[in-house]
Amino acid sequence: MLIYDTGDSHQPCTPFVKNTSAIFGFSQGCLPLDRWDELNAFFQKSGAKIIFGLNALNGRVPMPDGSLGGPWNYTNAASFIRYTVNKGYDIHGWELGNELSGSGVGARIDADQYAADVITLKHIIDSTYQSNPTKPLVLAPGGFFDAAWFTELVSKTKPSQMDVITHHIYNLGPGVDDHLIEKILDPSYLDGEASIFSNLQGILKFAGTSTVAWVGEAGGAYNSGHHLVTDAFVFSFWYLDQLGMSSKYDTKSYCRQTLVGGNYGLLNTTTFEPNPDYYSALLWHRLMGTKVLSTTFNGTNKIRAYAHCARKSEGITLLLINLSGNDTNHIYVTSEGAQTQSARKESRRFGHIPGLGEAAELTREEYHLTPKDGNLQSQRVLLNGNVLVTDANGDIPKLEPVQVEGTQPITVGPYSIVFAHIPSFYAPACR
């Protein structure tokens, strides 16, 4: 359990120490305010948006059913928030708790009590940030999805006490599992997570709330992942599929575990050189806009296909993931159902791409990602055949596309990922 050294706890500020008899195997620990100052200096330099997870266990008492009950003792958290505001630190959101939803991880709290505590946090933020032009987001519960528990939390905080409902994803199981690569390459296994995204989307729609869904933490395989799997090329299949799937079900943000740390970091923990997923995330961020298009792929189930309006440019961007190590696919793009009937009659067909008109003669930009030496467990990724490495100053290389003639199919090689930006593609949603 973490306390903040704001002077109200009247006890020495000591770090965590191992204690096997305590919950989670550690003693109580303390965050010194000078450390918080250092962190905020770093946040400011990096330009990052910061979500801070508050300790939600203060004041809890064990209940007969094994859960923890009683209202959240918020005094220490409230003084920590006050200190943060007085220092002028910019916090994007305050999240209550970590993995206490449903059956919890090591500890759990009933949804009814949690909802009351979220409302308390909302009051604290409203009053502390009273004179500020903008208020940080209120987020909860930062835990694993449990339909009944999440439904109750949403219904008791609606319509606007909780800005964001956050859930965690480690759907590949423990990092020590030797079958992680098989799971990542299995389309039906990947599809399993869709039910959670869909379920949560349904809960929010039905409740009539302003709360939106985020993935608050996702490392794929828990307990720090698996070296040469979750920090290698093969993990981009899982990661980009997650980004595509979560977007499809109206997830507004996706927080990856981790930037650096464990075997699932976006950066190498010793050299800080980007792992393949860093480049996957960067291409996603630059190319995929926030409007998601309904996308179907007819053919092998080994191709995963997602399409968004292009980011900051015309047309659409397609993401194609080939989970097959044997097959090269030649993919044609059509806009069936994307236009009104009259507009479709007028459009002339070019190649196999209806709805593009004369613009199909234009080129598109393609970004093909493949593993170095064809090794799925490589920590080096090739973009259009060129290895991506930082320069002597540590700067990210230019991510240059290849130009392809518009009437040609998109060629997706074995075990590869393709982003295709098609500026001439007409999708009414992208206007």
Side-chain angles (χ1 to χ4, degrees):
M1 195 164 84
L2 181 69
I3 57 168
Y4 316 108
D5 189 27
T6 54
D8 55 279
S9 59
H10 310 298
Q11 49 188 321
C13 188
T14 53
F16 287 105
V17 291
K18 283 197 167 175
N19 175 0
T20 47
S21 60
I23 189 170
F24 304 124
F26 283 92
S27 68
Q28 182 169 285
C30 171
L31 176 64
L33 293 182
D34 58 353
R35 182 61 168 162
W36 183 230
D37 296 337
E38 288 173 357
L39 284 166
N40 277 278
F42 170 70
F43 300 154
Q44 208 168 355
K45 282 179 187 168
S46 70
K49 286 187 174 176
I50 302 303
I51 306 294
F52 190 87
L54 293 161
N55 173 19
L57 291 177
N58 252 341
R60 306 295 185 186
V61 292
M63 304 299 278
D65 66 357
S67 70
L68 294 173
W72 174 47
N73 181 343
Y74 57 83
T75 50
N76 184 227
S79 59
F80 180 63
I81 293 170
R82 270 196 307 277
Y83 174 84
T84 303
V85 172
N86 292 337
K87 293 289 275 195
Y89 297 148
D90 186 15
I91 302 298
H92 190 63
W94 296 95
E95 182 174 44
L96 184 65
N98 181 65
E99 300 186 346
L100 299 167
S101 56
S103 52
V105 177
R108 63 186 170 88
I109 295 166
D110 284 348
D112 177 51
Q113 179 59 59
Y114 219 92
D117 301 330
V118 168
I119 292 167
T120 299
L121 175 59
K122 171 77 170 159
H123 290 327
I124 292 166
I125 287 174
D126 283 349
S127 61
T128 315
Y129 285 85
Q130 213 165 8
S131 57
N132 290 44
T134 55
K135 290 188 177 75
L137 301 171
V138 174
L139 306 92
F144 292 100
F145 180 75
D146 176 292
W149 197 100
F150 272 55
T151 301
E152 188 173 354
L153 179 65
V154 169
S155 74
K156 289 182 174 167
T157 54
K158 72 179 189 184
S160 55
Q161 298 283 343
M162 178 173 66
D163 299 301
V164 179
I165 192 160
T166 46
H167 65 112
H168 292 182
I169 295 176
Y170 289 90
N171 63 325
L172 297 169
V176 293
D177 186 348
D178 290 329
H179 301 283
L180 292 177
I181 291 177
E182 290 163 44
K183 290 177 179 177
I184 292 165
L185 297 177
D186 179 352
S188 57
Y189 193 92
L190 295 179
D191 286 338
E193 194 64 26
S195 62
I196 286 179
F197 289 124
S198 168
N199 216 325
L200 181 52
Q201 183 189 34
I203 289 168
L204 295 174
K205 270 188 179 166
F206 181 76
T209 178
S210 62
T211 304
V212 298
W214 286 21
V215 172
E217 179 185 320
Y222 58 84
N223 294 346
S224 289
H226 192 115
H227 183 43
L228 299 183
V229 178
T230 55
D231 53 5
F233 177 84
V234 70
F235 208 51
S236 282
F237 292 150
W238 176 84
Y239 184 34
L240 287 172
D241 189 64
Q242 279 280 303
L243 293 180
M245 191 187 291
S246 60
S247 301
K248 184 177 162 184
Y249 293 103
D250 210 22
T251 304
K252 300 299 187 188
S253 287
Y254 193 106
C255 304
R256 167 64 181 259
Q257 175 87 338
T258 61
L259 175 63
V260 58
N263 290 313
Y264 36 36
L266 295 178
L267 304 179
N268 183 295
T269 49
T270 47
T271 65
F272 303 121
E273 183 73 21
N275 283 326
D277 278 0
Y278 182 95
Y279 293 110
S280 296
L282 192 54
L283 283 168
W284 172 280
H285 179 70
R286 288 181 182 176
L287 299 170
M288 305 290 273
T290 53
K291 281 187 179 172
V292 183
L293 302 171
S294 175
T295 313
T296 53
F297 176 77
N298 299 324
T300 166
N301 68 347
K302 291 283 189 180
I303 292 279
R304 317 283 288 176
Y306 300 99
H308 290 205
C309 296
R311 190 184 184 97
K312 293 181 181 166
S313 57
E314 293 291 304
I316 66 165
T317 305
L318 275 179
L319 166 62
L320 299 163
I321 301 167
N322 188 359
L323 301 175
S324 165
N326 304 317
D327 300 325
T328 297
N329 287 267
H330 302 284
I331 294 172
Y332 290 99
V333 186
T334 72
S335 57
E336 295 300 320
Q339 296 160 288
T340 61
Q341 195 59 40
S342 59
R344 197 178 301 138
K345 274 181 194 153
E346 288 163 21
S347 70
R348 282 173 283 173
R349 296 173 75 92
F350 278 83
H352 290 254
I353 316 183
L356 293 194
E358 288 160 9
E361 289 164 2
L362 303 175
T363 57
R364 64 172 178 265
E365 297 166 333
E366 293 183 359
Y367 303 78
H368 293 251
L369 298 176
T370 51
K372 190 168 187 286
D373 303 322
N375 174 15
L376 284 180
Q377 293 183 263
S378 173
Q379 290 185 276
R380 288 268 182 250
V381 57
L382 308 182
L383 172 60
N384 298 325
N386 302 309
V387 68
L388 292 177
V389 283
T390 54
D391 66 15
N393 301 321
D395 289 330
I396 297 295
K398 273 199 160 77
L399 303 180
E400 300 279 15
V402 288
Q403 304 288 333
V404 180
E405 203 241 313
T407 57
Q408 295 302 308
I410 300 169
T411 301
V412 187
Y415 287 151
S416 75
I417 294 162
V418 181
F419 287 93
H421 172 219
I422 311 175
S424 55
F425 193 99
Y426 172 75
C430 302
R431 290 171 75 178

